[in-house]
Amino acid sequence: MFNQGTWRTVSAEKMIQNIKDIVEWSGTKDLFFIDDNFFSDRKRTLKFVELLKKEKLDIKWGVECEIYMLNKMDDNLLQELEDVGLRSMSIGVESGSKRIIKMLDKVLNLDHVEIVNKRLAKFNFQPMYNFMGGYISETENELKETLSLIVNILEGNPKAHIQGMGMVVPYPGTPYLNMAKKAGLKEPEELEGWFNYNPDDW
């Protein structure tokens, strides 16, 4: 299992201190949090909002997020996040095919994607969606399902943005690597060999 199924948190207090240190050191007030589990702990999220208000940190920030987390959030919390500087959300959907989503064992209900997207249209921050293609056994019709979902997202929210249609990568520790190996992928024998699996290089 990727990362052995663990998730280690940084407290809201530590996050605020880190932000203050970065702002003081670099002078920047634009930050992006790379953590798609950022909103997993609601209490930590609320504390983070509370401390941002208390410290009066005038920052603009973006964050990674998942549809199921956004589906649980009420509009009041989303508005509070916007009020303390949230400007963008990077949201991984990956595929418009229910079969592909199930194959990846991804915690995502595709029926919620368009519902959440339309809800987000009420706010000023920008939802930025990520998709991938090239899955093992992916059919032309399933790829069309993904493209159809992309069109519906853009039509359902004028602020929505598609960050890209990437190539799926069989990273070590993921179930998808085992699928790729069964399909004939030759796994690198040394750690350095994984360097060439970066889709940005492709």
Side-chain angles (χ1 to χ4, degrees):
M1 182 180 291
F2 191 60
N3 285 341
Q4 288 72 55
T6 60
W7 179 60
R8 293 175 296 171
T9 64
V10 174
S11 69
E13 290 81 2
K14 181 62 176 178
M15 291 165 60
I16 295 298
Q17 186 58 56
N18 287 343
I19 291 171
K20 292 167 69 174
D21 291 343
I22 290 171
V23 170
E24 181 179 353
W25 170 72
S26 67
T28 186
K29 289 196 173 183
D30 291 286
L31 304 171
F32 188 86
F33 299 102
I34 302 176
D35 176 7
D36 55 8
N37 291 308
F38 189 90
F39 295 120
S40 290
D41 187 334
R42 181 179 174 85
K43 289 184 179 179
R44 188 184 74 145
T45 300
L46 294 173
K47 189 65 176 180
F48 179 66
V49 170
E50 175 190 332
L51 293 175
L52 275 179
K53 290 179 179 179
K54 180 180 178 181
E55 296 290 339
K56 298 181 180 179
L57 294 175
D58 183 23
I59 63 169
K60 309 302 178 189
W61 55 284
V63 66
E64 294 180 337
C65 193
E66 296 281 355
I67 288 292
Y68 77 90
M69 296 176 189
L70 292 170
N71 193 50
K72 293 179 180 180
M73 289 186 187
D74 56 45
D75 287 357
N76 289 334
L77 177 53
L78 290 169
Q79 185 60 60
E80 284 195 83
L81 292 169
E82 180 180 310
D83 292 343
V84 293
L86 178 64
R87 290 296 175 266
S88 66
M89 284 183 171
S90 179
I91 306 168
V93 177
E94 321 313 356
S95 175
S97 162
K98 291 184 178 181
R99 187 189 72 84
I100 295 292
I101 294 298
K102 183 177 180 180
M103 181 182 80
L104 298 174
D105 197 24
K106 184 174 174 61
V107 184
L108 170 66
N109 185 334
L110 281 174
D111 294 332
H112 292 163
V113 175
E114 293 183 56
I115 295 172
V116 168
N117 181 57
K118 289 179 180 178
R119 276 186 61 213
L120 297 182
K122 296 185 290 185
F123 304 94
N124 291 320
F125 52 80
Q126 183 179 48
M128 305 184 298
Y129 296 91
N130 296 296
F131 289 88
M132 292 189 291
Y135 294 97
I136 294 168
S137 76
E138 183 178 42
T139 67
E140 182 177 347
N141 283 337
E142 287 172 332
L143 185 56
K144 287 180 178 179
E145 286 179 327
T146 296
L147 297 176
S148 178
L149 178 56
I150 288 174
V151 170
N152 290 343
I153 285 172
L154 295 174
E155 291 179 346
N157 184 345
K159 301 184 189 74
H161 175 73
I162 306 302
Q163 291 195 103
M165 182 77 171
M167 178 66 74
V168 64
V169 180
Y171 284 118
T174 64
Y176 189 73
L177 174 60
N178 293 328
M179 299 178 201
K181 288 164 65 176
K182 289 180 180 178
L185 173 72
K186 292 184 178 180
E187 185 178 1
E189 296 180 359
E190 298 180 351
L191 179 61
E192 290 79 2
W194 288 103
F195 177 80
N196 295 322
Y197 278 69
N198 185 344
D200 293 333
D201 295 333
W202 299 351

